[in-house]
Amino acid sequence: MAKKLGLVLGSGAARGWAHVGVLRGLKEIGVEPEIIAGCSVGALVGGAYVIGALDEFESWARELKPLSALERFTLKVRRGGLIDTAPAFDAFRSHDKKIEDLAVKFVAVAADLATGEEVAITTGSVIDAARASSAIPIIFHSVEHEGRWFVDGALANPAPVSHARAMGADIVLAVDLNAVPRVLDWFDAPAPSLPVSTPAPAPKPGLSGAVAKLIEETRGGVKRQFDLAKARADAAPHLFETAYAAADIFQMHLARARARTDPPDILLRPDMRDAMPTAFDRADEFIEEGRKGLLDVRTELEALLER
């Protein structure tokens, strides 16, 4: 009998674009998950996959620019948060399906605001379930789903391996995006000196598109390193940076604790230390990071599925 692969997509805000790369990598090697358990952005990406809207979702993610993600939301101080995410989710409403009608088993993990308990959402609208699972407290509105108020599932189970097992997965591949949290390095000791930045020359007219793109990506990477060095030299915690760091610390330790009691067969821990949780405009890089991480464990995964 063929073994069932359960894919666990963990929380991580903008780092979650890496989940798209993991799904692309699985398709590349001809492996399809039969069960997807998602938390927060993992529920969002997993939900897009199970309703057949991953291509549209990826196109939307790749087109985002700095702060442009906020244009999809509505600022309303109510329901325990600042931002209403409904407009962004409604853009994909035409693709929505009921979880119980899906070909792939799907569960979105959220936290019940009334009891604090972790809840596995396995019925109803996929989009509503994903929205409930990713309702970051204070920032996003709490979400009412089937008579209960939910907030981000990362408060209870950032990488829900236990739910993939409970739904019948024989082999579990989990993606933990908070294993190497970049935001914690932000407040490290100042760098002793800063290198002098020399602008890279613009691509010559005769260069091919691929070479020009490589030059541009290299220039962007170098600039980020200079920016990081300067930021570390001037580092002092501010309000939202402190909130990011606190969330990273919490999710990192909770994910580690849950992994000890519910270990996956394969754990992907993409190095996202250069990824702020709000870097929604870096989808290209994060998607590729997820794809490479999956391909790195291809041999191990195929061996487990065939054993």
Side-chain angles (χ1 to χ4, degrees):
M1 180 182 295
K3 293 188 176 180
K4 294 181 180 179
L5 173 64
L7 176 62
V8 174
L9 303 177
S11 59
R15 300 175 183 135
W17 296 161
H19 291 324
V20 177
V22 171
L23 287 163
R24 294 305 188 198
L26 286 172
K27 182 177 180 180
E28 191 173 327
I29 66 174
V31 173
E32 295 184 7
E34 295 186 57
I35 297 163
I36 292 183
C39 176
S40 197
V41 70
L44 176 60
V45 176
Y49 174 80
V50 296
I51 64 176
L54 189 62
D55 289 344
E56 291 84 350
F57 180 82
E58 180 178 348
S59 296
W60 173 73
R62 289 184 183 275
E63 290 171 0
L64 288 178
K65 302 300 178 186
L67 300 181
S68 66
L70 296 180
E71 298 174 0
R72 310 286 176 142
F73 304 144
T74 302
L75 183 61
K76 291 181 181 178
V77 183
R78 57 192 293 261
R79 292 186 177 180
L82 300 174
I83 297 173
D84 182 9
T85 58
F89 283 88
D90 286 345
F92 296 91
R93 188 66 65 177
S94 62
H95 297 277
D96 198 14
K97 297 177 182 177
K98 289 186 176 180
I99 297 175
E100 51 268 40
D101 295 336
L102 297 171
V104 176
K105 290 184 179 180
F106 176 72
V107 55
V109 174
D112 189 319
L113 193 57
T115 66
E117 296 297 324
E118 151 187 2
V119 176
I121 303 176
T122 57
T123 60
S125 159
V126 171
I127 287 179
D128 289 345
R131 184 173 167 232
S133 179
S134 56
I136 302 172
I138 300 177
I139 298 177
F140 295 151
H141 290 184
S142 303
V143 175
E144 185 179 18
H145 181 72
E146 298 184 348
R148 305 169 76 178
W149 285 97
F150 292 115
V151 289
D152 199 317
L155 297 176
N157 198 346
V161 172
S162 57
H163 293 283
R165 298 277 190 206
M167 296 182 74
D170 299 308
I171 303 297
V172 174
L173 167 65
V175 186
D176 179 4
L177 301 177
N178 299 298
V180 211
R182 147 79 167 80
V183 74
L184 301 185
D185 292 337
W186 194 262
F187 311 114
D188 205 349
S193 61
L194 295 176
V196 178
S197 174
T198 302
K204 296 181 180 180
L207 290 178
S208 70
V211 174
K213 181 179 179 182
L214 176 61
I215 292 175
E216 184 61 30
E217 289 176 348
T218 302
R219 181 188 303 171
V222 171
K223 182 180 183 303
R224 278 193 295 277
Q225 292 304 313
F226 283 128
D227 290 344
L228 173 60
K230 184 178 187 306
R232 289 180 63 185
D234 299 332
H238 298 294
L239 176 62
F240 287 109
E241 291 171 337
T242 302
Y244 296 149
D248 270 356
I249 293 169
F250 173 79
Q251 291 182 67
M252 177 179 67
H253 287 291
L254 181 55
R256 287 176 180 174
R258 295 299 298 249
R260 285 193 289 269
T261 56
D262 300 304
D265 296 286
I266 299 178
L267 178 61
L268 284 187
R269 308 190 340 167
D271 189 348
M272 308 298 285
R273 73 181 68 225
D274 188 34
M276 287 291 285
T278 52
F280 291 101
D281 59 310
R282 294 176 60 189
D284 290 354
E285 299 170 57
F286 298 169
I287 290 172
E288 182 58 23
E289 188 69 31
R291 175 182 168 275
K292 289 191 299 184
L294 185 281
L295 295 180
D296 285 344
V297 300
R298 173 179 183 171
T299 301
E300 182 182 359
L301 177 60
E302 291 176 334
L304 286 171
L305 291 173
E306 293 171 1
R307 187 175 303 163

